[in-house]
């Protein structure tokens, strides 16, 4: 379905980003990976699906590096047709204890990076008359939780950005939508499971159950594969008129 198209997925060396990159690769898209840590394993996993793979290590908190990454992707594959703004970090503290540096980092990586990558990707999508911007927001783009001020602010912000980009391109073939997952068992969430296990004297399994019980009625983690399938749907022609949606896949979290 996506043969000849190029998808750039930020923060795709791990977790949800890697799951989405693999789902798009399985549909035939060329993939530009981005993120920190081990690069060889995700690259090998994506190319095993038959995709052409490139990688750029831009730090998504740095606008100049984002610009370098977008130029690199264009040089490698000609154009970015699908942009998945996924890179994200978490920091947990009450507002009065929240370090300003952590606030700035969460806003830069979880929100401003999507603005920068989108503003740079849009002109080529508009010229081609087709494009997809998929923002990985969160159920925290729709509802709040205590001790996640920067994350909730950034995720509500990215849902707003999604709607604006969707409206500005509404009469074109360029769509913009957000995905709002509930708990997904990635390294980002495992850290929160570990913190809960230590704080409450629980085993890893008990801490996971506790985490789900607090928020997610289905008592199931959403998987990167399920989120990848939703991203593929947003790229399909069936989703041509899905614009500005903030689509939760959260086991009923936001329905409560
Ligand atoms: P993860 O920690 O597994 O992956 C994060 C990715 O972002 C990694 O590839 C990491 O290297 C990259 N990254 C981090 N900082 C970066 C930076 N400055 N520049 C470039 N890359 C950077 O986390 P995940 O759970 O897969 O999260 C991915 C996205 O999904 C995030 O935006 C997160 O907020 C969102 N999300 C996660 C969950 C969840 O439960 N895990 C739920 C809702 C939304």
């Amino acid at each position: 379905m996506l043969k000849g198209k190029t998808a750039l997925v930020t923060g795709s060396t791990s977790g949800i980003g890697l799951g989405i990159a693999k789902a798009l690769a399985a549909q035939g898209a060329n993939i530009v990976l981005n993120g920190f840590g081990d690069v060889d394993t995700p690259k090998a996993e994506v190319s095993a699906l038959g995709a052409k793979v490139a990688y750029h290590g831009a730090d998504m908190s740095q606008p100049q590096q984002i610009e370098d990454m977008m130029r690199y992707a264009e040089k490698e594959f000609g154009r970015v047709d699908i942009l998945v703004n996924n890179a994200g970090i978490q920091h947990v503290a009450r507002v009065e204890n929240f370090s300003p540096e952590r606030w700035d980092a969460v806003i830069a990586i979880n929100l401003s990076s999507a603005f920068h990558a989108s503003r740079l990707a849009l002109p080529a999508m508009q010229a081609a008359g087709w494009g997809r911007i998929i923002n990985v927001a969160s159920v925290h783009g729709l509802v709040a939780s205590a001790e996640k001020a920067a994350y909730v602010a950034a995720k509500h912000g990215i849902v707003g950005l999604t709607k604006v980009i969707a409206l500005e391109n509404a009469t074109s073939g360029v769509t913009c939508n957000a995905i709002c997952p509930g708990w997904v068992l990635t390294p980002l969430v495992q850290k929160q499971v570990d913190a809960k296990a230590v704080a409450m004297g629980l085993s890893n399994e008990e801490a996971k159950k506790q985490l789900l019980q607090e928020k997610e009625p289905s008592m199931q983690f959403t998987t990167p594969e399920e989120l990848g399938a939703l991203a593929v749907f947003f790229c399909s022609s069936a989703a041509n008129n899905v614009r500005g949606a903030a689509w939760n896949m959260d086991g009923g979290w936001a329905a409560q």
Side-chain angles (χ1 to χ4, degrees):
M1 186 178 93
L2 299 176
K3 210 140 201 77
K5 302 262 196 274
T6 296
L8 187 156
V9 186
T10 71
S12 47
T13 49
S14 157
I16 295 170
L18 180 56
I20 291 177
K22 284 161 84 171
L24 298 175
Q27 296 296 321
N30 308 318
I31 303 292
V32 184
L33 295 173
N34 158 262
F36 301 149
D38 171 28
V39 175
D40 293 340
T41 312
K43 253 181 136 172
E45 287 178 17
V46 174
S47 59
L49 296 160
K52 287 192 208 145
V53 190
Y55 165 79
H56 193 284
D59 178 339
M60 296 305 291
S61 69
Q62 303 297 321
Q64 185 55 55
Q65 292 186 33
I66 297 173
E67 201 152 343
D68 292 346
M69 178 182 70
M70 299 307 293
R71 298 280 161 273
Y72 166 80
E74 279 165 18
K75 195 158 69 67
E76 286 296 303
F77 293 122
R79 185 172 70 227
V80 172
D81 305 282
I82 300 161
L83 170 66
V84 183
N85 290 310
N86 166 78
I89 58 168
Q90 178 61 281
H91 182 70
V92 181
R94 289 176 61 88
V95 168
E96 61 272 27
N97 301 325
F98 215 98
S99 102
E101 292 73 24
R102 287 287 85 203
W103 170 275
D104 286 345
V106 173
I107 297 296
I109 297 167
N110 295 22
L111 176 58
S112 302
S113 72
F115 160 70
H116 289 296
S118 299
R119 79 181 164 80
L120 295 163
L122 276 164
M125 292 179 181
Q126 289 158 348
W130 194 92
R132 296 288 188 260
I133 296 181
I134 300 170
N135 292 325
V136 179
S138 166
V139 68
H140 283 116
L142 305 171
V143 296
S145 292
E147 303 194 354
K148 294 187 176 176
Y151 189 85
V152 169
K155 294 302 187 181
H156 275 68
I158 204 170
V159 167
L161 176 67
T162 301
K163 293 175 184 174
V164 172
I165 295 174
L167 289 177
E168 289 180 358
N169 294 279
T171 58
S172 79
V174 179
T175 73
C176 181
N177 292 290
I179 295 179
C180 299
W183 292 123
V184 186
L185 196 56
T186 64
L188 181 142
V189 163
Q190 187 60 50
K191 273 191 221 154
Q192 296 171 63
V193 172
D194 294 343
K196 192 171 274 299
V198 171
M200 300 176 73
L202 301 172
S203 69
N204 183 52
E205 279 316 302
E206 287 165 341
K208 281 197 273 192
K209 202 170 158 203
Q210 178 78 26
L211 205 77
L212 289 167
Q213 217 151 28
E214 282 166 12
K215 300 279 185 185
E216 194 143 331
S218 68
M219 290 298 287
Q220 281 177 49
F221 289 98
T222 302
T223 66
E225 291 73 23
E226 289 163 349
L227 295 164
L230 182 54
V232 167
F233 168 67
F234 282 149
C235 292
S236 72
S237 55
N240 278 346
N241 212 23
V242 180
R243 292 169 188 266
W247 194 308
N248 43 321
M249 198 183 250
D250 63 359
W253 182 326
Q256 295 171 97

